[in-house]
Amino acid sequence: MREDEGLEGLPEELRELGRSLRVPDVDGESMAERVLARLLAEHVPVPVVEEPRPERWAWPRRWWRALVAGLSGVLVVAVLTPPVRAAVAEWLGVGGVAVEYVPGAPPPAPAAVPGCPAPVPVAEAARRAGFAPLLPEGAAGAVTTVTGRAPRAVVGVCWRTARGVVVRLDEFPGELDPGFVKEVREQPEPVVLPDGTAAYWFAAPHRLAFPLSSAEGRWRQEVRTAGPTLLWVRPSAGLTLRLEGIPDRTEALRVAASVR
């Protein structure tokens, strides 16, 4: 019997296990998938039992699963343990957003969430931006606006809550350049949307630099204070999304889950 006989389905089995792990995605693949792919590519030797038995390959499979479980624990601890957690958003890219952790920075002055000036119909926003904007459910009176031009356009979706508070959902391609830059004094909190999507919750006000373009196509960077924000990536749409204006994390997660 060949040493690799009985292991033909092991790579796919390991990748499937990797996909089930709750760790942030990197370019459409989970961190666990990438680690497992590297191990498989380097042909890590599998222990072989000397005497052939019906359950000959049960022990190597258990060994692989134990290895996967150990790696998974390391990855989860890396995501959840400070100070790695503070830098994980920048390390993973979070689409078109970079996060700079500056614990000694002075606290920014509070500021209101800006609305969407020069609103346009959704169809027009899609034409200018080059992608169909996603809209939250139950956001009565929502309007859209577009900053910049495809393929580096930013679509803003704005609406008011029952209390008259402005909520803003910014959407842009994951490879936006120049992109948004968040300068935070407190570590973002990794959270998970109801559908299993990894996200980051910024509870405290922070400095936000974002791109704007002129009619001639020249880019400049504006800076303002952003309030509590939820940040996530929708790989199926190729978009980065940031939801601002909802100070309650649970409510922000609920709204984000309704975005279609």
Side-chain angles (χ1 to χ4, degrees):
M1 178 181 292
R2 302 192 321 272
E3 291 187 358
D4 61 347
E5 187 173 350
L7 293 177
E8 292 84 353
L10 184 57
E12 181 57 34
E13 181 180 345
L14 291 172
R15 291 191 179 94
E16 183 63 30
L17 181 58
R19 295 186 189 103
S20 68
L21 300 174
R22 289 289 185 86
V23 293
D25 287 348
V26 184
D27 296 332
E29 288 187 311
S30 71
M31 192 188 310
E33 283 185 273
R34 287 194 168 195
V35 173
L36 292 173
R38 179 66 178 272
L39 289 173
L40 293 170
E42 293 180 356
H43 304 290
V44 177
V46 177
V48 178
V49 180
E50 293 297 331
E51 295 296 329
R53 297 175 182 176
E55 298 297 325
R56 179 181 180 183
W57 297 106
W59 186 82
R61 286 180 180 274
R62 287 196 296 269
W63 184 85
W64 270 105
R65 291 191 179 101
L67 174 62
V68 172
L71 288 171
S72 304
V74 171
L75 298 176
V76 171
V77 169
V79 170
L80 297 181
T81 303
V84 176
R85 187 177 67 182
V88 69
E90 185 174 12
W91 180 51
L92 296 176
V94 192
V97 176
V99 179
E100 182 180 2
Y101 179 47
V102 187
V113 178
C116 291
V120 297
V122 174
E124 177 63 14
R127 186 188 69 80
R128 294 186 188 180
F131 62 86
L134 306 180
L135 303 175
E137 293 180 359
V143 298
T144 57
T145 188
V146 181
T147 302
R149 296 180 296 181
R152 298 191 299 175
V154 178
V155 173
V157 182
C158 300
W159 68 95
R160 290 184 179 272
T161 66
R163 296 183 177 182
V165 177
V166 175
V167 179
R168 183 180 180 111
L169 174 65
D170 286 315
E171 310 174 18
F172 46 90
E175 298 299 325
L176 182 68
D177 181 28
F180 284 79
V181 179
K182 288 179 175 290
E183 183 181 283
V184 300
R185 301 174 68 247
E186 299 179 10
Q187 300 167 351
E189 177 186 357
V191 294
V192 180
L193 301 185
D195 64 359
T197 300
Y200 295 91
W201 173 247
F202 299 80
H206 52 278
R207 178 181 179 273
L208 171 67
F210 56 97
L212 288 177
S213 66
S214 65
E216 296 77 23
R218 290 193 295 269
W219 286 85
R220 70 181 190 278
Q221 200 171 46
E222 294 288 318
V223 178
R224 69 173 175 86
T225 297
T229 302
L230 184 67
L231 177 66
W232 75 102
V233 174
R234 185 65 61 84
S236 58
L239 298 176
T240 301
L241 300 96
R242 58 176 305 278
L243 178 65
E244 181 183 357
I246 302 178
D248 181 73
R249 184 188 65 175
T250 301
E251 177 64 11
L253 289 170
R254 186 194 68 78
V255 172
S258 75
V259 173
R260 297 287 186 273

